[in-house]
Amino acid sequence: QVQLVESGGGLVQPGGSLRLSCAASGINFGFYVMGWYRQAPGKQRELVASISSGSSTNIADSVKGRFTISRDNGKNTVYLQMNSLKSEDTGVYYCNARRRRVDGRTDDYWGQGTQVTVSS
């Protein structure tokens, strides 16, 4: 059974920082691209950052220079360090694990989400 468990969300003032963690189980973690997505009220879910099995990263322009994604394959965990938070960063943050199989099919798993609220 695959599980992605996010933690670290909460309420923070503008300019503050949070660190999200996502602990994965039930998958061969090192083979998966790990990503963080977010969904604000009334908006579509969007990619925030992703990191490949080789630790290449892709960061959304809206958070570039403020957010950093990293992974620890020994702990089956991916992190999202969020600095200089803005009100527009508010939303539910979801962890994603994705792998393209050799047969072309994709394994795609999601966590339950963690709320991040940036407000004074």
Side-chain angles (χ1 to χ4, degrees), residues 2-100:
V2 178
Q3 282 193 311
L4 301 177
V5 180
E6 301 106 332
S7 61
L11 173 65
V12 63
Q13 291 187 342
S17 297
L18 283 174
R19 188 194 197 203
L20 305 183
S21 299
C22 171
S25 60
I27 60 172
N28 195 334
F29 183 81
F31 290 122
Y32 281 74
V33 175
M34 299 301 297
W36 286 99
Y37 290 72
R38 69 185 179 190
Q39 188 165 18
K43 294 189 177 181
Q44 288 189 330
R45 191 175 297 189
E46 63 175 355
L47 175 67
V48 175
S50 64
I51 184 166
S52 72
S53 57
S55 294
S56 296
T57 61
N58 177 35
I59 310 293
D61 288 343
S62 59
V63 303
K64 200 166 289 184
R66 300 188 297 120
F67 290 13
T68 303
I69 188 170
S70 61
R71 65 190 296 160
D72 185 335
N73 289 342
K75 295 182 178 180
N76 287 3
T77 300
V78 62
Y79 305 96
L80 185 69
Q81 178 66 44
M82 305 186 293
N83 299 327
S84 302
L85 282 159
K86 305 176 181 180
S87 58
E88 51 262 44
D89 295 319
T90 294
V92 179
Y93 283 69
Y94 296 92
C95 179
N96 173 259
R98 184 169 297 152
R99 180 189 67 156
R100 175 72 65 89

